[in-house]
Amino acid sequence: QVQLVESGGGLVQPGGSLRLSCAASGSISRIKAMGWFRQAPGKQRVLVASITSGGSTNYADSVKGRFTISRDNAQNTVYLQMNSLKPEDTAVYFCNADAADLIGTMRGYWGQGTQVTVSS
């Protein structure tokens, strides 16, 4: 089994910054893509950013130029640096990873979510 644990959410004023972290642990043989999704109240969960094991990144248009995703493959950890935060960034942020267990079965895993609130 693979577990994802997020940290780093909280309350921040507009224009501020936060850094989210997500560490994968458990019976992992390989992790392919990792990413961050977010879900605002009453809305669907949407992709914010993703990164492959080779470091290729993809961002939602709404966060390009403000958010940066990175990962530490040795630590099975993915980060999301969020700058110039706006009230519309308020949501629960979920970590996602495509990981293979020790027998090689690949599947997607989700973290429990961390709340990000941007408000004055």
Side-chain angles (χ1 to χ4, degrees):
Q1 190 62 286
V2 176
Q3 298 83 37
L4 301 179
V5 178
E6 301 117 333
S7 61
L11 173 65
V12 65
Q13 292 186 342
S17 298
L18 282 175
R19 188 189 195 212
L20 305 182
S21 300
C22 171
S25 63
S27 305
I28 302 169
S29 64
R30 186 165 69 98
I31 299 179
K32 293 176 65 179
M34 301 185 80
W36 291 94
F37 289 70
R38 68 187 182 188
Q39 187 167 19
K43 296 189 177 181
Q44 290 187 327
R45 190 176 299 187
V46 296
L47 176 69
V48 176
S50 64
I51 184 167
T52 67
S53 57
S56 296
T57 58
N58 181 50
Y59 295 93
D61 287 343
S62 59
V63 306
K64 284 181 181 176
R66 299 188 298 122
F67 291 10
T68 301
I69 189 170
S70 60
R71 66 188 281 178
D72 182 336
N73 289 332
Q75 299 295 323
N76 289 334
T77 300
V78 64
Y79 305 96
L80 185 68
Q81 178 66 43
M82 305 184 293
N83 298 329
S84 301
L85 282 160
K86 304 175 181 180
E88 51 263 43
D89 295 316
T90 296
V92 178
Y93 284 70
F94 295 90
C95 175
N96 175 269
D98 292 329
D101 58 22
L102 297 182
I103 61 172
T105 302
M106 182 72 68
R107 55 159 286 192
Y109 294 89
W110 291 95
Q112 79 285 357
T114 185
Q115 177 69 47
V116 171
T117 302
V118 185
S119 175
S120 55

